[in-house]
Amino acid sequence: MASARNGSDAPTPPGPLDHFDASTDAAAVVSTDGVVVGWTRGAEELLGRPAREVVGGSAARLLAMPGDPARVAGIAERCRGGMGWSGLIPVRHRDGSSIDVDLRVSASFRVGSDECFLISARERKQHWTVSQSVLDGFQTRSPVGMAVMDMDLRYVWLNDTLERFGGVPREERLGRRLSDLFPGLQADTIEGLMRKVLTTGVPVTDYEYAGWSWADPHRQHAYSTSFFPLLDADNSVTGVGYMVSDVTERWNARQLLSLVNEAGTRIGRTLDVMETAQELADFAVPYFADFVIVDLLEPVLSTEGHGAWLTDAGPASATPVLRRAGMSSVREGCPEAVARIGERADFLPPPHDADLLIDGEPILIPVLAPSEDLWVAEQSERAAKIREFGLHSLICVPMRARNAPLGLTTFVRSLNTISFQPDDVLLAQDLVARAALCVDNARRYTREHTAAVTLQRSLLPHALTGGTALEVASSYLPADPTDGVGGDWFDVIPLSGARVALVVGDVVGHGITAAAAMGRIRTAVQTLAEMELPPDELLAHLDDLVLRLSEEQPVGEGAEAANPSSTAFLGATCLYAVYDPVTRRCTMARAGHPPPVVVAPDGHVSFPEPPAGPPLGLGGVAFEATEIELAENSLLGLYTNGLIEGVDHDMELGMSRLGDVLAQPDCDLAGLCTSAVQHLVPVPQPDDVALLLTRTHSLGADHVVSWDVPVDPAAVADVRARATRQVAAWGLGELAMTTELIVSELVTNAIRYAEPPIRLRLLRDARLSCEVADGSSTAPRLRHARSTDEGGRGLFLVAQLAHRWGARYTKGGKIIWAEQEIP
């Protein structure tokens, strides 16, 4: 305000009067002594005077009339009483012209210590009049239908447009009601709205509805109608007026848009090709057509190969084979169909051939003529169906996605008497295009899922055996197909000394990538187990392998484009345990995996928790092993997290449920394993489920014998004789000679090259094992002696005589072992 008084052109900073600028009227604030203290942009536009010329000056100079102090004082006194004042006043524009304005003065108020008035003005516009002939022309030639109804809702007057809309002459309408003239045209609803207007006096605007008229009885139209009360001189309601517009094109466009949007939610809800095809057929009936068939190329329905009839080199076969994948009809059972679901359906409307599937455009046949020679010659059975059920209009749309032909969708009308129009072809194309993309996605997913399942099944063990040390059972439940194949795996690996290794793991991710990574890790575990590594060391080596696998994964946008279904390999979890039936000790280590479950013979459930360790693939963190003792006939269970997560994702609660299920007494191990998975995972889950159950057994004193061996070559004969007698006592006389030779060679090598203490142990299990322990960590080496060498053939002879042999390291040295098959 100060800057305006000073004549500055700088913008006025925001103040308490700025909200007046939002008014559409010209407004000013005038003090009680007639000085302008506020001036809005509306005032500037009305009088052409900027604020800097007006603010601070007298308001009287803006009037285009002589001053009247008495009148001004009266108005001021009235406004001070809180009443306000309004009237017609001429004001002067900056160019000197006079403008008549409707002036309003507010009740007085204070701005600081000053008493002020808010004055607003609006230019009074000239009122135009039109002749009766113009009004008559407006009513009769308007594109909007208009009518007047009396208090009984009978026609009193209507214009020419409404007469054309309805197709009923004016003389037949006057004096009659809408329900008498157009039965079924939502007449009851429309008359209900008009009664509501008569009762309340409140207009109803833009009510839309669809219906028919006598002007076009075979085609549905849409109308937008408004109703308003008619009043006489004393403001009493005398009738209802209404106006109606034909909005069929807008209605159809909105309906089609809504139909297309709904198709996006109802087509392609599954990753199954056949279900997607059926969803398209079901959706289009009866909204769009009376009978719909979806025929897909046979390779599209196949889970093998590329799954497309058209290849880069051209068609894979000269004649495409189409099979019925989906169909729907307004008639129960689809009696119009020649082929049923799954059957061959070689329908191509004459005269078209297979080129229609490759690069053909949609076909519109507004009027079917089954009596034509081509129909009779090429589609005689279908021509008979067309005549029988009155199929009169047809649209055929080739299904293509990503430049690959997939099949053909046909829309037919019969009960709907309106023929397909060119606009309908656009809608059919859009529906088929959406469905084709869903079908192609489902086809690609099905092919990859089948390949992943096949790969996964081939990599999982087909038969598990724990020898006499363990009774083994397993159960594997794949994830819900919509979530993809996971990377869960398990294995049972026989080791030397009647020991058994148990392993279970879970690879991060789904799909072929996860299945392939699982196979590589499982193979690596088997290789490392054969090296007789302790569980913690085995996991350390496995961690290095997973790190290398992660580095091998493709990165960047190009890799994702090449294989959009692949997921980055981030790591895996694993639990590895080794059970020794001689000592009944189980040594285990885990990498981010849930702990095992142990059910004692008395039913007590526990979850021994070795240090969790990080998941495989992080690197740089050591793993720790834990050893527990298991009583005879204890139940040991290894599992993946999919078994215990459940719908509530509560791991602790899931473990508790697992323990309760496994604690059932006197259960067959295989049946218990299957029932546990079914109980804990009753519905498909987004992750694979694996459960490996073992019941432990021990090797008693009658199966194991051992002797300390003096570091003296003369002791070899005595030890050899003891071993031979023990083998004979076990009833294995056939192995006495080979056992004598194996014991002789292994003990001799230990005395000659190793360090004490030396100990010989024989085990009778599924195989006969001979173990020689010593205090040296030097690795044995198999040599191929020359014919002139006097020695160096000991381990070579052992390798020839034994089924297999090897070495494992202990805290105090190593053990050389050899196994023989028991006849």
Side-chain angles (χ1 to χ4, degrees):
M1 191 70 71
S3 63
R5 290 194 180 101
N6 296 334
S8 171
D9 291 330
T12 303
L17 301 179
D18 285 351
H19 63 279
F20 294 131
D21 294 343
S23 172
T24 57
D25 294 347
V29 178
V30 179
S31 67
T32 187
D33 55 358
V35 176
V36 179
V37 297
W39 191 253
T40 66
R41 285 192 292 271
E44 292 183 6
E45 294 174 0
L46 178 64
L47 299 184
R49 299 175 183 272
R52 64 176 179 273
E53 294 182 4
V54 179
V55 174
S58 173
R61 63 189 181 93
L62 302 176
L63 300 178
M65 59 181 289
D68 189 348
R71 184 183 185 191
V72 171
I75 293 174
E77 188 63 29
R78 176 183 175 89
C79 293
R80 287 192 182 97
M83 298 296 292
W85 179 88
S86 63
L88 179 65
I89 296 293
V91 295
R92 189 170 305 284
H93 194 272
R94 187 182 188 188
D95 61 8
S97 61
S98 176
I99 303 174
D100 290 335
V101 297
D102 289 315
L103 196 71
R104 295 182 297 278
V105 182
S106 72
S108 65
F109 59 93
R110 290 193 172 275
V111 177
S113 59
D114 298 331
E115 184 180 22
C116 297
F117 304 92
L118 173 63
I119 301 176
S120 61
R122 177 176 295 176
E123 183 178 4
R124 173 163 290 192
K125 302 294 184 180
Q126 181 178 1
H127 293 282
W128 296 92
T129 60
V130 294
S131 66
Q132 185 63 38
S133 62
V134 174
L135 291 177
D136 291 342
F138 171 74
Q139 293 176 343
T140 57
R141 295 178 176 83
S142 169
V144 178
M146 294 180 284
V148 175
M149 318 291 283
D150 63 13
M151 296 297 290
D152 294 324
L153 304 182
R154 301 181 186 278
Y155 281 98
V156 176
W157 175 89
L158 68 153
N159 69 349
D160 296 346
T161 304
L162 187 61
E163 185 179 15
R164 290 194 304 271
F165 280 172
V168 178
R170 179 182 283 105
E171 295 76 14
E172 296 183 18
R173 281 208 189 199
L174 295 177
R176 303 179 68 183
R177 292 171 53 172
L178 183 69
S179 55
D180 299 331
L181 298 168
F182 301 98
L185 185 68
Q186 298 190 25
D188 293 341
T189 302
I190 295 174
E191 289 184 348
L193 292 174
M194 288 192 285
R195 289 192 186 93
K196 181 179 179 181
V197 171
L198 287 174
T199 303
T200 64
V202 179
V204 174
T205 60
D206 200 22
Y207 172 74
E208 290 190 1
Y209 63 94
W212 62 277
S213 70
W214 292 111
D216 189 5
H218 300 296
R219 182 168 175 260
Q220 179 175 268
H221 286 252
Y223 303 97
S224 174
T225 309
S226 296
F227 309 95
F228 52 92
L230 299 175
L231 307 177
D232 60 9
D234 60 355
N235 287 333
S236 60
V237 178
T238 61
V240 176
Y242 80 79
M243 298 184 294
V244 58
S245 301
D246 190 324
V247 292
T248 303
E249 291 188 4
R250 184 180 73 190
W251 175 281
N252 289 338
R254 190 164 61 238
Q255 292 297 106
L256 293 180
L257 180 60
S258 175
L259 194 66
V260 170
N261 289 337
E262 187 179 358
T265 62
R266 292 181 52 186
I267 300 175
R269 292 177 293 182
T270 68
L271 287 172
D272 183 272
V273 173
M274 296 289 286
E275 289 189 22
T276 302
Q278 187 61 46
E279 286 172 349
L280 170 60
D282 290 339
F283 176 78
V285 175
Y287 295 109
F288 183 65
D290 298 323
F291 177 49
V292 177
I293 56 175
V294 182
D295 299 330
L296 297 180
L297 290 164
E298 197 168 50
V300 175
L301 300 173
S302 173
T303 58
E304 300 178 359
H306 184 268
W309 169 63
L310 184 67
T311 65
D312 293 338
S317 59
T319 304
V321 176
L322 289 166
R323 292 202 176 272
R324 184 65 40 86
M327 64 179 180
S328 183
S329 170
V330 293
R331 300 177 175 89
E332 186 176 356
C334 300
E336 310 96 323
V338 173
R340 315 311 294 180
I341 299 293
E343 294 180 353
R344 182 164 178 164
D346 298 330
F347 173 66
L348 292 170
H352 301 278
D353 54 20
D355 290 339
L356 172 66
L357 299 174
I358 302 175
D359 52 15
E361 294 297 320
I363 299 170
L364 169 63
I365 305 179
V367 179
L368 280 173
S371 59
E372 292 183 357
D373 294 340
L374 281 175
W375 279 94
V376 174
E378 298 182 16
Q379 302 285 344
S380 58
E381 188 175 2
R382 289 184 173 86
K385 293 282 188 179
I386 292 173
R387 289 190 294 269
E388 179 182 356
F389 295 100
L391 311 182
H392 65 85
S393 189
L394 174 147
I395 295 176
C396 280
V397 181
M399 295 185 72
R400 289 190 289 269
R402 301 181 178 95
N403 298 322
L406 303 176
L408 186 70
T409 301
T410 305
F411 305 89
V412 186
R413 283 182 177 171
S414 57
L415 300 182
N416 186 342
T417 58
I418 301 175
S419 297
F420 285 119
Q421 302 299 318
D423 288 346
D424 295 322
V425 176
L426 299 177
L427 174 60
Q429 277 185 291
D430 197 48
L431 293 178
V432 172
R434 289 173 178 266
L437 186 61
C438 294
V439 166
D440 191 53
N441 289 338
R443 172 180 67 87
R444 291 168 179 263
Y445 168 79
T446 301
R447 189 173 69 248
E448 178 175 331
H449 183 264
T450 301
V453 169
T454 302
L455 175 62
Q456 186 184 52
R457 294 295 187 188
S458 67
L459 295 175
L460 288 174
H462 299 286
L464 298 174
T465 177
T468 59
L470 293 174
E471 182 184 351
V472 181
S474 66
S475 182
Y476 180 82
L477 183 64
D480 188 329
T482 58
D483 294 291
V485 174
D488 292 12
W489 93 96
F490 55 88
D491 212 343
V492 178
I493 307 169
L495 302 177
S496 63
R499 297 170 307 128
V500 180
L502 306 172
V503 61
V504 64
D506 185 0
V507 174
V508 173
H510 294 83
I512 290 181
T513 302
M518 176 269 286
R520 298 176 73 174
I521 295 177
R522 176 173 176 260
T523 301
V525 170
Q526 291 179 332
T527 302
L528 294 172
E530 289 291 332
M531 297 172 61
E532 304 278 2
L533 294 177
D536 51 343
E537 293 185 22
L538 184 141
L539 290 183
H541 286 282
L542 205 59
D543 186 44
D544 293 338
L545 170 67
V546 174
L547 278 173
R548 290 197 299 273
L549 288 178
S550 299
E551 294 173 356
E552 293 176 6
Q553 293 303 303
V555 294
E557 297 180 357
E560 294 178 0
N563 186 10
S565 63
S566 66
T567 56
F569 179 72
L570 301 178
T573 64
C574 181
L575 190 150
Y576 182 80
V578 176
Y579 174 67
D580 189 340
V582 177
T583 63
R584 292 187 290 107
R585 308 289 294 179
C586 181
T587 307
M588 64 186 73
R590 59 181 179 140
H593 202 82
V597 56
V598 175
V599 182
D602 60 1
H604 176 71
V605 178
S606 63
F607 289 88
E609 294 196 19
L616 301 174
L618 296 182
V621 181
F623 298 94
E624 297 182 36
T626 296
E627 187 175 81
I628 61 173
E629 184 174 344
L630 299 174
E632 177 81 8
N633 291 322
S634 292
L635 190 68
L636 175 65
L638 280 65
Y639 52 90
T640 55
N641 59 353
L643 182 66
I644 59 174
E645 281 186 343
V647 295
D648 50 14
H649 298 284
D650 189 331
M651 300 282 284
E652 292 186 2
L653 182 58
M655 292 167 62
S656 176
R657 289 194 293 253
L658 174 62
D660 294 340
V661 173
L662 297 182
Q664 301 176 17
D666 302 325
C667 286
D668 171 69
L669 192 63
L672 178 62
C673 190
T674 302
S675 64
V677 172
Q678 292 175 347
H679 178 80
L680 295 173
V681 191
V683 295
Q685 297 292 326
D687 198 5
D688 291 2
V689 172
L691 175 61
L692 177 63
L693 290 184
T694 64
R695 183 168 282 126
T696 64
H697 302 294
S698 62
L699 289 181
D702 56 337
H703 287 73
V704 182
V705 63
S706 62
W707 302 279
D708 291 325
V709 180
V711 186
D712 183 359
V716 175
D718 178 58
V719 173
R720 186 169 54 207
R722 291 184 182 185
T724 303
R725 288 194 297 271
Q726 183 61 55
V727 170
W730 280 338
L732 305 176
E734 298 179 14
L735 300 180
M737 182 177 293
T738 53
T739 301
E740 183 180 8
L741 290 174
I742 290 173
V743 169
S744 179
E745 293 298 334
L746 294 182
V747 172
T748 300
N749 283 345
I751 293 174
R752 182 176 299 176
Y753 302 110
E755 297 178 2
I758 300 173
R759 188 171 182 83
L760 170 66
R761 186 172 74 163
L762 297 181
L763 295 91
R764 178 170 66 86
D765 187 35
R767 295 188 178 95
L768 177 62
S769 299
C770 174
E771 298 180 347
V772 176
D774 60 56
S776 171
S777 59
T778 303
R781 184 167 61 92
L782 181 66
R783 295 173 54 193
H784 294 275
R786 295 171 296 182
S787 58
T788 56
D789 291 342
E790 295 183 0
R793 298 179 179 84
L795 287 180
F796 179 77
L797 289 175
V798 171
Q800 295 298 313
L801 296 173
H803 171 69
R804 62 174 190 157
W805 74 280
R808 67 177 184 267
Y809 293 90
T810 64
K811 294 180 180 180
K814 67 176 182 298
I815 297 175
I816 310 296
W817 55 267
E819 293 180 351
Q820 300 178 73
E821 292 281 5
I822 296 178

